[in-house]
Amino acid sequence: STSREVRCMRVATCTLVAKYYGFVQGAIAQLAALKALVPSEVDNYIIVEDGHYDKNVYTQLEKLGYKILAKPALRPARSVNYVADRWKYTFNKFYIWTLTDYDRVIYLDADCLPITKDFHLGMLDIGDKYLSASRVNAKAQARFNAGVMCVQPNIETYRALIETLNTTAPGAELADQGLLNLFCNGYKQLPDVYNMRSWNNNIYDNIIIAHLRPTPWTRTTGPRGWMKYRAIWEQMYKEGLRLIG
């Protein structure tokens, strides 16, 4: 894609919350950051599983500016022993492929915080792949982390994902990420700074998207690099609450 084509694309962002209230806090901070970094014509969606939150939470999210996609649960047809219990809710992420009013959807887990202005522009060129994303780690170059990705919405892709979910669903133990890696058979690789999850070494200065593990609403102390970005997260969360009023 040329830079002009990229700038003419209809783009939306999307995040996901389910069951755990903390992720709503993450979504509030994330949208406050997005409002500061991304043009206002970019729409912001949030996928919410039916029955998981009361109307008060919906009202808060709408006041902040989210377009809510309240959806039925997507789960594998077969029984799965998940590595982490909360991962059973992440298949709802597949709904991003239904947002066909847009050329691209930037998906961010709710514990992700964009840091750099117009960060989305570097993600939009997905080549001939289903999506762009960052690698899992240096030892797993072939696999991507599905916490940050850019996809081209397409109903046929969505239906194929649901069919995969309802049939064999290998890799489902690793939730949506395991299944997507098998389904996509390759991806357009983004630099690690688009999904920075490692905080053990230095204070990182050139991060584009911080993926804050441990989650910033569950603790206030951690490695120095993490602390730096947790402080920005807290600032954005307070700004989100101010905007909700």
Side-chain angles (χ1 to χ4, degrees):
S1 303
T2 67
S3 59
R4 185 174 178 192
E5 284 173 334
V6 160
R7 288 186 177 273
C8 290
M9 284 181 177
R10 295 163 300 166
V11 179
T13 72
C14 191
T15 192
L16 166 75
V17 292
K19 203 75 173 176
Y20 295 89
Y21 182 76
F23 285 94
V24 171
Q25 293 174 261
I28 289 170
Q30 186 181 106
L31 187 48
L34 287 169
K35 284 176 175 290
L37 298 172
V38 174
S40 58
E41 61 266 22
V42 173
D43 291 328
N44 308 111
Y45 286 84
I46 186 166
I47 299 166
V48 182
E49 187 169 313
D50 284 344
H52 276 200
Y53 296 101
D54 61 30
K55 284 185 179 174
N56 178 47
V57 172
Y58 282 54
T59 301
Q60 283 190 324
L61 295 171
E62 285 176 330
K63 266 189 175 180
L64 188 56
Y66 274 118
K67 295 177 181 291
I68 294 176
L69 295 174
K71 295 289 186 179
L74 295 178
R75 300 279 193 276
R78 67 180 175 87
S79 177
V80 174
N81 293 318
Y82 297 100
V83 174
D85 182 65
R86 62 184 170 82
W87 287 359
K88 73 177 72 165
Y89 304 113
T90 67
F91 298 103
N92 297 336
K93 195 181 293 186
F94 296 166
Y95 285 118
I96 60 178
W97 272 274
T98 68
L99 294 171
T100 54
D101 286 346
Y102 303 91
D103 300 303
R104 296 287 188 273
V105 173
I106 307 285
Y107 173 81
L108 303 168
D109 276 352
D111 52 1
C112 290
L113 189 71
I115 303 296
T116 306
K117 189 169 179 62
D118 290 334
F119 71 93
H120 62 300
L121 295 177
M123 303 175 67
L124 299 179
D125 180 4
I126 63 174
D128 60 353
K129 305 297 184 185
Y130 283 108
L131 54 84
S132 65
S134 297
R135 62 189 181 175
V136 167
N137 56 45
K139 293 178 182 176
Q141 298 269 7
R143 295 180 64 246
F144 60 86
N145 181 284
V148 175
M149 53 186 181
C150 176
V151 314
Q152 181 175 349
N154 182 295
I155 287 295
E156 293 308 312
T157 303
Y158 170 74
R159 287 175 180 152
L161 281 165
I162 299 307
E163 187 178 346
T164 305
L165 194 62
N166 288 336
T167 52
T168 55
E173 293 78 7
L174 297 175
D176 66 286
Q177 181 170 299
L179 200 138
L180 280 170
N181 268 279
L182 287 164
F183 178 86
C184 289
N185 190 28
Y187 66 106
K188 177 76 179 283
Q189 187 172 330
L190 297 172
D192 293 348
V193 288
Y194 278 90
N195 188 352
M196 181 54 72
R197 305 180 303 284
S198 174
W199 307 104
N200 296 326
N201 301 319
N202 304 302
I203 295 176
Y204 298 87
D205 292 323
N206 300 312
I207 291 176
I208 292 174
I209 299 168
H211 198 158
L212 286 162
R213 305 277 179 80
T215 51
W217 53 86
T218 54
R219 58 190 288 182
T220 56
T221 58
R224 278 195 307 164
W226 181 88
M227 289 286 289
K228 174 179 176 176
Y229 290 97
R230 193 211 174 272
I232 300 171
W233 179 88
E234 186 169 5
Q235 183 185 343
M236 288 297 103
Y237 178 57
K238 287 177 179 174
E239 171 64 7
L241 292 180
R242 186 191 70 78
L243 290 168
I244 290 167

